[in-house]
Amino acid sequence: MAQRTVRVIMNGVTGRMGYRQHLVRSILAIRDDGGIVLPDGDRITVEPIMVGRSADKLAALAAEHGVADYTTSLDEALSDGSASIYFDAQVTSERKKSILKAIGAGKHIYTEKPIAESVSEGIELVTAAREAGVINGVVHDKLYLPGLVKLKRLIDSGFFGRILSVRGEFGYWVFEGDLLPAQRPSWNYRAEDGGGIVLDMFPHWNYVLENLFGRVRAVTAKTVTHIPERWDEQGRRYTATADDAAYAIFELDANVIAQVNSSWAVRVDRGELVEFQVDGTDGSAVAGLFGCRIQPRVETPMPVWNPDLPTTEDFRSQWHQIPDNAEFTNGFRAQWEQFLSDVEAGQAHPYDLAAGVRGLQLAIAGLESSAQGRRIAIDWFES
């Protein structure tokens, strides 16, 4: 059994998502567990090369986690011939130029989303990657989460019969920053810095809907800035110019209708921060990040509508929880393992830059729908 080391340039790991999910819970977790065993029995392990703007932050992270290599120069990192993969978790405005540099250096590409600030820029990345022949992937972490894995099994087994509709609820209250610190960075609430819940979450909803239920064919959306004034990391008041909530209807293949509410200005009365209810002719399910509850057709109760009497039924007790009959890992790590394996095998990753472009298309269509007050049909990009 052979063992090889893959060196990964990781740009933006001092940020919240890059640090927690990608550096610590994915790459370092894989490293500390001895790597990944490939189908042929060989093993690959990983070493990060951290890139960021602050040498002090990088040095502190390197010391804390036992990382040997870090730099504030992307060009220096890309010139390292021993590194075969470039990963990007920067702010969106910095992403395109860095990925193009990495493609020019012959690196395989894995990136957070949105992949660029516009559809045309995303297509530019797809074209460059294809011409360079590099394997590329975009984060699709939610597809690897236990709740959605269970939901996908239900769909594949035919549990639902004909799927009729999907209802999604996502969000939580993000504090304004005056009484309590905000849980998200202030740039998320400035449109001029690439912020907004549509650009953040619609790419997620696109790949969830596309891979579980079918392509989105049209969208009708309303975006809102519910909280117009917030306080940044230094306690300074600023005007929130980006949308912090979006209410959307997506028309999918096979006449499936999906309604998804996304909000950073909602207080949670759900089992999880995101839940999708799927209703079909033969059964229904409610899936979150971890759990998935079902109600088959043969066990569907018959509620009685009577506004004159209090409801005595415990409706939630009439659903069954699907057991954890498989071992699940962190969703980000699971996709990293698949991407690393695909690079080693020299095969295309299923969730590529073209999929990232489609996520951007849905976000742009959602923003156009809200601005124009109408339904927007989508002509999808095909690479």
Side-chain angles (χ1 to χ4, degrees):
M1 182 180 73
Q3 178 166 318
R4 298 182 294 279
T5 299
V6 177
R7 285 165 60 78
V8 181
I9 299 166
M10 304 190 72
N11 195 357
V13 292
T14 56
R16 178 179 61 93
M17 185 68 71
Y19 173 69
R20 293 179 185 172
Q21 295 292 5
H22 293 288
L23 180 66
V24 174
R25 297 173 185 169
S26 297
I27 293 298
L28 294 183
I30 292 170
R31 179 198 69 178
D32 295 344
D33 286 344
I36 304 167
V37 178
L38 301 174
D40 62 4
D42 286 356
R43 180 184 293 269
I44 57 172
T45 188
V46 289
E47 287 181 358
I49 301 172
M50 300 189 303
V51 180
R53 292 175 296 178
S54 171
D56 290 341
K57 288 182 180 180
L58 291 170
L61 291 181
E64 180 179 357
H65 296 290
V67 175
D69 297 317
Y70 62 90
T71 178
T72 57
S73 170
L74 176 59
D75 291 337
E76 177 185 325
L78 292 175
S79 69
D80 187 335
S82 68
S84 58
I85 296 172
Y86 171 77
F87 169 69
D88 196 296
Q90 301 179 96
V91 295
T92 307
S93 59
E94 296 297 315
R95 190 159 290 147
K96 187 195 84 164
K97 65 182 179 183
S98 298
I99 292 177
L100 286 176
K101 274 189 176 184
I103 291 172
K107 310 300 183 185
H108 302 298
I109 304 299
Y110 188 53
T111 181
E112 266 290 354
K113 19 127 277 311
I115 63 170
E117 291 187 287
S118 69
V119 171
S120 61
E121 287 186 354
I123 293 173
E124 185 180 349
L125 294 179
V126 172
T127 302
R130 182 178 62 244
E131 291 177 350
V134 298
I135 296 166
N136 53 92
V138 177
V139 174
H140 280 48
D141 59 288
K142 288 177 176 50
L143 294 179
Y144 296 81
L145 292 168
L148 292 191
V149 170
K150 295 171 186 176
L151 181 58
K152 181 67 162 60
R153 289 178 187 162
L154 291 172
I155 295 169
D156 292 345
S157 73
F159 168 82
F160 294 102
R162 181 168 62 89
I163 293 176
L164 309 175
S165 64
V166 181
R167 288 193 295 280
E169 288 286 344
F170 163 79
Y172 51 95
W173 190 270
V174 176
F175 290 101
E176 295 91 326
D178 51 350
L179 296 179
L180 287 171
Q183 310 97 296
R184 299 183 62 86
S186 57
W187 72 263
N188 282 177
Y189 302 94
R190 292 191 292 265
E192 59 271 25
D193 293 331
I197 202 165
V198 169
L199 281 174
D200 192 355
M201 297 311 302
F202 275 36
H204 280 296
W205 305 151
N206 184 67
Y207 71 68
V208 168
L209 296 171
E210 177 179 288
N211 287 280
L212 269 63
F213 308 105
R215 285 277 180 95
V216 179
R217 296 304 171 186
V219 59
T220 304
K222 176 64 178 177
T223 67
V224 186
T225 304
H226 285 306
I227 309 295
E229 189 176 72
R230 292 181 178 271
W231 283 256
D232 67 14
E233 292 78 3
Q234 287 74 44
R236 298 173 301 202
R237 181 183 303 178
Y238 69 95
T239 299
T241 54
D243 46 280
D244 58 18
Y247 309 94
I249 299 173
F250 303 111
E251 301 171 37
L252 313 184
D253 290 334
N255 296 318
V256 176
I257 301 298
Q259 305 168 68
V260 183
N261 295 330
S262 312
S263 179
W264 288 320
V266 62
R267 294 179 175 88
V268 181
D269 184 20
R270 280 171 255 125
E272 301 193 50
L273 295 187
V274 62
E275 287 187 342
F276 296 94
Q277 177 164 334
V278 182
D279 290 304
T281 54
D282 292 346
S284 297
V286 177
L289 300 178
F290 298 95
C292 184
R293 296 177 289 119
I294 60 172
Q295 187 176 98
R297 178 185 184 187
V298 295
E299 295 185 22
T300 302
M302 187 181 293
V304 176
W305 170 254
N306 188 342
D308 298 322
L309 294 175
T311 299
T312 57
E313 287 185 85
D314 181 3
F315 294 112
R316 289 194 170 177
S317 70
Q318 297 165 353
W319 296 69
H320 304 300
Q321 189 75 241
I322 293 179
D324 289 332
N325 50 11
E327 187 173 331
F328 299 102
T329 187
N330 175 281
F332 289 88
R333 173 176 175 172
Q335 189 177 358
W336 262 110
E337 291 181 351
Q338 183 177 358
F339 181 75
L340 291 166
S341 298
D342 288 338
V343 169
E344 281 296 296
Q347 63 190 21
H349 187 66
Y351 311 118
D352 58 8
L353 286 168
V357 170
R358 293 195 296 274
L360 262 177
Q361 283 187 278
L362 184 63
I364 299 302
L367 292 171
E368 288 180 357
S369 172
S370 182
Q372 299 175 19
R374 66 182 182 92
R375 171 184 180 273
I376 301 290
I378 304 174
D379 183 15
W380 289 112
F381 167 73
E382 300 290 351
S383 60

